[in-house]
Amino acid sequence: MASVTQQQIQKFHKDGFLVLEQFFSAEECDSMRSQIQRIVAEMEVPPHCRTAFSTRQEEQLQEQGSSDYFLTSGDKIRFFFEKGVLDEKGNFLVPKEKSVSKIGHALHAYDPVFKQITHSPKVQELGRKLGLERPVVVQSMYIFKQPGIGGEVTPHQDASFLHTEPLGRILGFWIALEDATQENGCLWFIPGSHTNGITRRMVRAASGASTCVEFVGSEPAYDDKQFIPLPISKGGLILIHGEVVHKSELNSSESSRHAFTFHVMEAKGTTWSKENWLQPTPELPFPSLYT
C-alpha cells in the first residue's frame, strides 16, 4: 500500500471522502471473512427475535427487547437480521449465514482479528497523516449486504447518529472485503456535502417512551443527480467525513458485498453527546486508536 499523499488529504477535506484502493491485502480481507464465518456459526438467535407475534402487548415487548438489545450493543458483539429471514418463532427461513444484516458494535474491542485490523500500523499512520491527536474508536460493524435482500441505506450523515460538540470530529473507515460495485450496492456520495452541518439527529428517547430512539429534525430531500457512485475493489478503504451525505442502494445482485467499518472520534477538545444511542461504558471506555 502506497503512503497517503498531502494531495489526497486535501482531496478528502474538499470532497468529504477519499478512496484508497488496495489499502488492505486480500489475505487481511479473507482473515476477516473467515473470522466472521466462525462468529456466525456460533451465533444464537437473540430471545427477542424468537417471540411469536400475537398480541399487541407482546409486540411491544418484542420492540422493547429489540431496542434494549440495540441500545446495549455498544460494548458487545451482537447480531442484526435482514427483514423476513426469521419466521414468527425465530426460526431461519434462509441459511443462517445469509440472514444477518450486520454484526456490531464492538468487534474492534473483543475480537482479535478485527482489533488487529482496526489498530493496524497503516490505520494509525493514516490517522497521524490526517492530524488526529487523540483518536478513539467509538464503534465497529461488519456489514453483509446479502445478495438479493441486502437493504438500501437511505441518504444520511454519520454525525446524525454519532453527535459531537463541535461537529467535524467523527471519521468513518469503510473497508471493502469484496469488490463493491453499482450492482451489489456500493456507496454513493454527494461531494462537498460535509460543509453544511447536520439537519437531523437520532437521540435516546425519554425512558418509558414506546421507542428507544427518536429523530430530531428531518433529512432534507436530496437530489439523486448529486450522488456519485464509489465502486471499490476488495481491500480498498473509503474514508468518510462524519457529515458527508452518503447512501447505498438495495443489493439486487447474486453476490454479497461484505464490508468492515469503524468510526473514530478526535477526542481532543471534543464532547461526546450524552443523547447519542451509543455510550461508552465502564466495561468499554472508547479505546485509543493509537497503541
Side-chain angles (χ1 to χ4, degrees):
M1 169 223 124
S3 201
V4 179
T5 64
Q6 277 312 117
Q7 203 174 1
Q8 285 173 306
I9 288 171
Q10 280 169 346
K11 189 165 170 48
F12 170 72
H13 290 304
K14 176 173 165 277
D15 291 339
F17 58 84
L18 180 65
V19 175
L20 298 169
E21 288 281 9
Q22 295 174 327
F23 193 87
F24 288 97
S25 67
E27 294 72 37
E28 287 170 313
C29 293
D30 294 341
S31 74
M32 288 187 265
R33 290 201 61 186
S34 44
Q35 186 68 350
I36 222 73
Q37 276 172 334
R38 283 193 284 274
I39 291 172
V40 170
E42 291 164 17
M43 162 181 86
E44 292 291 325
V45 177
H48 72 264
C49 294
R50 290 197 178 277
T51 0
F53 294 115
S54 47
T55 67
R56 182 73 195 106
Q57 192 180 355
E58 278 180 21
E59 214 169 289
Q60 279 172 333
L61 286 173
Q62 167 120 6
E63 280 170 22
Q64 194 49 52
S66 306
S67 64
D68 291 345
Y69 186 79
F70 169 71
L71 277 184
T72 56
S73 66
D75 60 355
K76 299 180 188 68
I77 295 175
R78 288 198 163 163
F79 303 93
F80 302 89
F81 298 92
E82 290 289 358
K83 288 189 183 74
V85 298
L86 296 164
D87 67 15
E88 65 275 9
K89 295 190 178 66
N91 299 317
F92 289 107
L93 298 166
V94 300
K96 177 157 114 161
E97 63 281 359
K98 294 264 192 284
S99 66
V100 191
S101 158
K102 62 183 188 186
I103 297 178
H105 288 90
L107 286 162
H108 63 280
Y110 295 129
D111 181 89
V113 172
F114 291 98
K115 186 175 189 172
Q116 194 180 353
I117 292 286
T118 303
H119 297 279
S120 57
K122 48 195 166 191
V123 169
Q124 297 192 40
E125 186 203 355
L126 182 52
R128 293 198 164 91
K129 284 252 170 83
L130 288 160
L132 300 176
E133 291 185 58
R134 275 185 31 221
V136 296
V137 186
V138 298
Q139 70 156 7
S140 57
M141 278 187 298
Y142 191 104
I143 302 169
F144 292 81
K145 201 76 163 179
Q146 301 281 7
I149 57 169
E152 70 168 331
V153 178
T154 53
H156 68 282
Q157 298 165 291
D158 292 342
S160 288
F161 305 92
L162 310 171
H163 191 267
T164 60
E165 302 266 329
L167 284 171
R169 300 301 171 86
I170 292 288
L171 179 61
F173 291 73
W174 191 95
I175 305 158
L177 305 185
E178 303 180 275
D179 294 350
T181 64
Q182 285 197 44
E183 290 66 48
N184 73 3
C186 71
L187 299 181
W188 295 65
F189 288 80
I190 300 181
S193 57
H194 60 302
T195 56
N196 305 326
I198 58 171
T199 58
R200 184 177 71 138
R201 283 185 61 185
M202 186 173 93
V203 299
R204 282 180 171 242
S207 61
S210 59
T211 57
C212 62
V213 292
E214 54 197 14
F215 283 100
V216 179
S218 61
E219 206 62 72
Y222 295 108
D223 177 1
D224 269 347
K225 292 193 281 298
Q226 290 186 289
F227 285 92
I228 61 160
L230 292 192
I232 188 167
S233 304
K234 173 178 174 174
L237 170 72
I238 303 180
L239 274 182
I240 304 175
H241 187 287
E243 284 118 78
V244 74
V245 178
H246 58 291
K247 66 173 183 176
S248 67
E249 306 287 344
L250 173 82
N251 180 4
S252 50
S253 81
E254 301 292 297
S255 56
S256 56
R257 191 223 68 189
H258 289 204
F260 176 58
T261 172
F262 58 92
H263 283 89
V264 164
M265 170 179 74
E266 168 64 271
K268 187 181 178 189
T270 309
T271 309
W272 179 256
S273 172
K274 289 269 186 286
E275 293 184 311
N276 286 338
W277 75 266
L278 174 78
Q279 293 296 327
T281 63
E283 295 74 34
L284 183 60
F286 294 150
S288 169
L289 180 67
Y290 301 149
T291 49

